[in-house]
Amino acid sequence: MPDAESGDRDPDQEPPVESDELACPECGGTRFQEDERHGETVCANCGLVLSEGAIDQGPDWRAFDPQQRQERARAGPGRTIMRHDHGLGSQIGYGRDAHGKNVRGKTKAQLGRMRRYHRQATYRPGADRNVVRALSEIERITHALNLPDTVAETAATMYRRAQAEGFLHGRSIEATAAACVYAAARFQQLPRPLDTVADQAQASKDDLARTYRRLSEKLQLAVPITYPADLLPSFTSKLDLPATVQERARRLIEASEEERLVGKNPASVAAAALYRAGQQLGHGVTQKEIAGAAGVTEVTVRARLKDLAEEPADEDASKDPTPDDAPVAV
DNA sequence: ATGGTTTTTACTGCGTC
DNA sequence: GACGCGGTAAAAACCAT
């Protein structure tokens, strides 16, 4: 039976509910203040500016058909962290001036020179080329892990910070990029196990673990701990289990004694919970399958089964009031 | 480096299909 | 006999100090 206070877990930790999209990379806080005037989002806890220039990324015009779209478009795509120049680079075009007239002769030659200088000035081969490589690696890993673009963006921000602080010296871009994705995923409560990330990355697990550790030290990342429940969705979809199993697994974890689960690999806890929930609901998966999905061994799953509650916590009545109880007007 | 804890590896036995 | 499951012992990995 679950104890009375099982409803509110981790009393010492702030409940990560205020913002379900983001946690502050500095302090892990999840409460944010919007500074409209400056267009900034600021962590309410430590004051770190999380995003600035929070401009409306969409166009300021509307188009109702492709022709209007063509006519009204003035600017290129929106600002994005996923380009080495944030998508804001400028280019000097060919052939025509601002009035649409052809340019020739002296002016044309001048434009050519300007183009060359511009290119040389804006595209710094060293740093930017590496950023380009890192960003494409971040994007690749993120997608391979079925993580949303917001994770890639957080990872990209982290990577830039890492580079700005000289973290890259003597370290591989690939491992650092992967470490950023791993950390960013955890920040957004969409953790992936370390070895799952390593599988997709161009780095060994050891390499990734070491790099991640150093990275979080260097950037003072307050990465929130991984809750087993956060891993459930990923495993559930891997095994094609119904949502009811996932929900029951979540309640099984809730009903368990917390002391027995701390320090244990959260993936193993999630795996055991899904296994037991599946059994109880007649959607049996084998220990082998669930262990494979979670990246642990069957032995470990069995060990966790002993730590896990036998029966799920009480149904959260407030969440979905059962229609049967509702008074029926005749 | 060290020592405590957790996880993995390897192996065994039992029941079921 | 193959498979799933449960267990154990020892080695390996991990982590804080």
Side-chain angles (χ1 to χ4, degrees):
Chain A
M1 270 306 255
D3 49 344
E5 68 270 19
S6 68
D8 44 11
R9 56 174 192 180
D10 55 276
D12 51 325
Q13 202 124 15
E14 296 252 299
V17 285
E18 302 277 346
S19 162
D20 46 6
E21 309 171 47
L22 203 59
C24 173
E26 194 65 44
C27 66
T30 51
R31 299 189 305 123
F32 302 106
Q33 284 163 354
E34 301 284 339
D35 184 336
E36 304 275 337
R37 180 112 59 103
H38 298 102
E40 291 174 347
T41 305
V42 178
C43 175
N45 188 25
C46 69
L48 179 79
V49 178
L50 285 153
S51 69
E52 46 193 330
I55 48 176
D56 183 353
Q57 309 257 333
D60 59 350
W61 42 266
R62 291 194 296 169
F64 301 97
D65 57 54
Q67 195 190 341
Q68 285 181 8
R69 176 177 297 277
Q70 178 85 23
E71 284 168 6
R72 296 181 186 182
R74 294 191 301 274
R79 198 180 139 90
T80 171
I81 193 99
M82 295 308 292
R83 293 279 172 275
H84 73 102
D85 58 3
H86 295 251
L88 289 179
S90 56
Q91 290 180 335
I92 297 174
Y94 296 83
R96 289 172 199 278
D97 66 11
H99 306 289
K101 302 241 172 71
N102 287 328
V103 294
R104 51 172 72 86
K106 221 171 164 180
T107 316
K108 190 174 179 182
Q110 193 180 2
L111 273 177
R113 280 197 303 280
M114 285 170 65
R115 204 156 34 234
R116 194 172 74 241
Y117 297 148
H118 181 68
R119 193 179 57 236
Q120 288 169 355
T122 53
Y123 194 77
R124 288 176 295 120
D128 275 357
R129 273 236 301 281
N130 286 346
V131 171
V132 170
R133 241 174 88 197
L135 292 182
S136 76
E137 183 69 1
I138 284 172
E139 209 156 357
R140 188 183 66 74
I141 298 171
T142 307
H143 286 146
L145 296 171
N146 285 322
L147 288 164
D149 290 342
T150 51
V151 169
E153 283 158 21
T154 306
T157 309
M158 244 177 242
Y159 186 89
R160 286 175 190 282
R161 251 188 87 196
Q163 191 180 46
E165 305 206 7
F167 181 78
L168 267 298
H169 291 298
R171 246 182 280 274
S172 90
I173 293 172
E174 283 77 12
T176 307
C180 287
V181 174
Y182 174 74
R186 283 180 60 170
F187 268 125
Q188 305 204 5
Q189 322 275 281
L190 294 166
R192 295 292 182 271
L194 192 67
D195 16 9
T196 312
V197 180
D199 283 345
Q200 302 300 330
Q202 315 242 28
S204 69
K205 188 189 170 190
D206 291 350
D207 222 17
L208 175 60
R210 191 176 48 243
T211 308
Y212 165 69
R213 180 170 275 278
R214 300 270 157 74
L215 182 79
S216 69
E217 279 166 17
K218 182 84 178 182
L219 301 187
Q220 306 246 302
L221 298 176
V223 179
I225 61 164
T226 299
Y227 290 108
D230 290 335
L231 292 163
L232 290 174
S234 148
F235 297 167
T236 306
S237 72
K238 256 190 207 173
L239 296 167
D240 279 326
L241 287 167
T244 51
V245 173
Q246 178 184 324
E247 180 56 22
R248 193 179 179 91
R250 196 184 59 71
R251 298 210 314 274
L252 280 170
I253 295 170
E254 251 177 47
S256 306
E257 293 170 52
E258 208 178 319
E259 314 87 68
R260 302 190 62 173
L261 301 181
V262 294
K264 310 288 168 65
N265 181 350
S268 67
V269 177
L274 271 182
Y275 174 76
R276 177 160 289 159
Q279 296 246 304
Q280 293 173 342
L281 293 178
H283 286 92
V285 267
T286 65
Q287 294 179 354
K288 194 175 177 174
E289 284 173 309
I290 189 72
V296 298
T297 62
E298 301 159 67
V299 184
T300 307
V301 173
R302 289 199 284 270
R304 285 304 81 74
L305 281 169
K306 289 179 191 164
D307 300 325
L308 203 69
E310 301 276 345
E311 293 300 322
D314 287 340
E315 207 112 17
D316 192 356
S318 64
K319 201 173 165 187
D320 63 342
T322 43
D324 322 348
D325 306 337
V328 181
V330 185

